[in-house]
Amino acid sequence: MPVLTPFSRRFALQAATAAVGSMIVRRAIPAQAQSPDTRFLPVETLFKSAVAEGKTPGAVAAVGANGQTVWKGVFGHKALLPTPEPMTWQTLFDMASLTKVLITAPAIMQFYEQGLLQLDDPVCRYLPAFAANGKQDITIRLLLTHYSGLPADVDLSTPWTGKDTAVSLAMNATPEHPPGERFVYSDINFITLGLIVEKLSGLPLDEYAARAILAPLGLKRSFFRPDPVLASAIAPTQFDESHTLLRGVVHDPTTRRMGGVAGHAGLFSCADDMLIYAKALLARRAGKPSAFPLKPETLVLMSTPQQPKGKSDLRGLGWDIATHYSTPRGTVFPASSFGHTGFTGTSLWLVPENETFVLILTNRVHPDGKGNVIALRRDVATAAALALQQS
């Protein structure tokens, strides 16, 4: 992986920015999606503007409706440093926190379907060490909905490495609020859920995910800890503490310290696999034939409000419904829609009534962490929804 000093990194970024700025930001559409559809011109304009303004180096995106892909787009660059590289439809992305809903939450719900756990069971029934420091009343449902009261993350202020250390930190975390009192998005919740998956399956989380979720769906380019030979196909993110550009190594620092696999982050994937996943999920939820490895009623449960009664921050079991993280819904999609985002710049928002979805994959943190796609997600969802109303 490239190693640059802060000075050389700044110089290279200036040169790359100048080079990219001199290029026309083009839309690259796969051959099978080249039929003109002017409805989505506003969506394309939003992506082009975001790239031109430095909000993200590039993007791969798609819109689906009625179980079909109706628009695809590829924009900008997958890398600016050490040299500019064009974005492609096949680019692999660090999915970041989408790992929570793509892998960990459905894995937990598979055990729920098998009767191996109940949502309101205390977590310490499966992980006895979790009861430390007043956590004995936190349930699996509270972890899934982020109402556990736990801090946002384990302590990263001092150097540590290894999964065992992370497990100890999670088990010994002290709640900041009483269970069920308020919504606080916490990686510790899903680190813990990942450990429950491992406890019940007897397998490492990445191996269980490959066997029970990815393989049944036929996803061939989705995995934890990508093989180094795939590095050139992966969108790089930021530089780590040693000034090494992260490319094929997970961006999330906690997951990275844990060795690349955790319940809250670590999955890498691509647009084609995410289209398969979204379509299969929506079809199964609607009771149609699908390879998705959960029952329709389970998916309804996951994507409807499951937070404690009387709370205004609405969360499903993993999925976001109506919180301050819900801007990827836009202003048109209904309140019944649901989705999730990833810190690196990934997002998926789904509308169950008509099997609609908006997929956005970016590496907005490349190369200096200053990119921002919050407004882009919102505006693209709005423009996509308006475009679909024209059909």
Side-chain angles (χ1 to χ4, degrees), residues 111 116 194-205 208 211:
F111 294 116
L116 296 177
L195 297 175
I196 294 175
V197 172
E198 294 185 337
K199 178 72 173 290
L200 293 178
S201 69
L203 297 171
L205 179 62
Y208 179 84
R211 292 187 187 186

Side-chain angles (χ1 to χ4, degrees), residues 89-295:
W89 178 256
Q90 293 77 25
T91 297
L92 291 159
F93 291 85
D94 180 338
M95 301 299 287
S97 281
L98 276 175
T99 304
K100 294 178 171 75
V101 290
L102 298 175
I103 299 296
T104 309
I108 287 288
M109 298 309 290
Q110 287 178 328
F111 294 116
Y112 166 81
E113 286 189 347
Q114 296 165 27
L116 296 177
L117 62 79
Q118 298 299 316
L119 296 176
D120 295 313
D121 287 344
V123 174
C124 59
R125 179 173 298 177
Y126 307 94
L127 302 171
F130 186 81
N133 297 322
K135 299 193 297 298
Q136 66 277 358
D137 294 329
I138 295 175
T139 64
I140 291 173
R141 186 191 301 270
L142 292 175
L143 295 183
L144 285 164
T145 58
H146 293 288
Y147 273 86
S148 68
L150 290 172
D153 202 354
V154 297
D155 185 10
L156 296 171
S157 63
T158 58
W160 60 265
T161 58
K163 180 180 175 181
D164 289 346
T165 302
V167 171
S168 178
L169 289 169
M171 295 302 98
N172 289 290
T174 300
E176 294 180 340
H177 310 285
E181 181 182 87
R182 66 177 68 181
F183 166 71
V184 177
Y185 185 85
S186 170
D187 286 345
I188 300 176
N189 291 333
F190 275 77
I191 291 172
T192 304
L193 289 166
L195 297 175
I196 294 175
V197 172
E198 294 185 337
K199 178 72 173 290
L200 293 178
S201 69
L203 297 171
L205 179 62
D206 55 339
E207 187 174 339
Y208 179 84
R211 292 187 187 186
I213 297 172
L214 302 175
L217 286 167
L219 305 187
K220 301 185 184 303
R221 300 183 75 231
S222 299
F223 28 65
F224 293 80
R225 293 187 291 204
D227 190 311
V229 301
L230 296 172
S232 63
I234 299 172
T237 53
Q238 283 182 262
F239 292 85
D240 66 11
E241 300 81 359
S242 63
H243 311 301
T244 299
L245 185 63
L246 296 171
R247 189 164 196 175
V249 177
V250 64
H251 177 269
D252 177 77
T254 305
T255 308
R256 196 160 68 245
R257 294 188 189 192
M258 292 176 66
V261 180
H264 69 291
L267 182 70
F268 286 74
S269 191
C270 63
D272 276 334
D273 277 9
M274 287 298 96
L275 293 183
I276 293 171
Y277 194 106
K279 292 175 186 178
L281 187 159
L282 289 168
R284 176 54 60 87
R285 191 186 186 281
K288 299 177 181 179
S290 168
F292 202 88
L294 285 173
K295 298 175 182 177

Side-chain angles (χ1 to χ4, degrees), residues 342-372:
F343 185 83
T344 51
T346 56
S347 64
L348 177 63
W349 202 265
L350 307 106
V351 184
E353 290 85 354
N354 49 16
E355 296 181 55
T356 290
F357 62 86
V358 176
L359 171 71
I360 300 175
L361 302 177
T362 81
N363 57 332
R364 64 98 191 164
V365 295
H366 178 71
D368 55 9
K370 296 182 180 178
N372 188 321

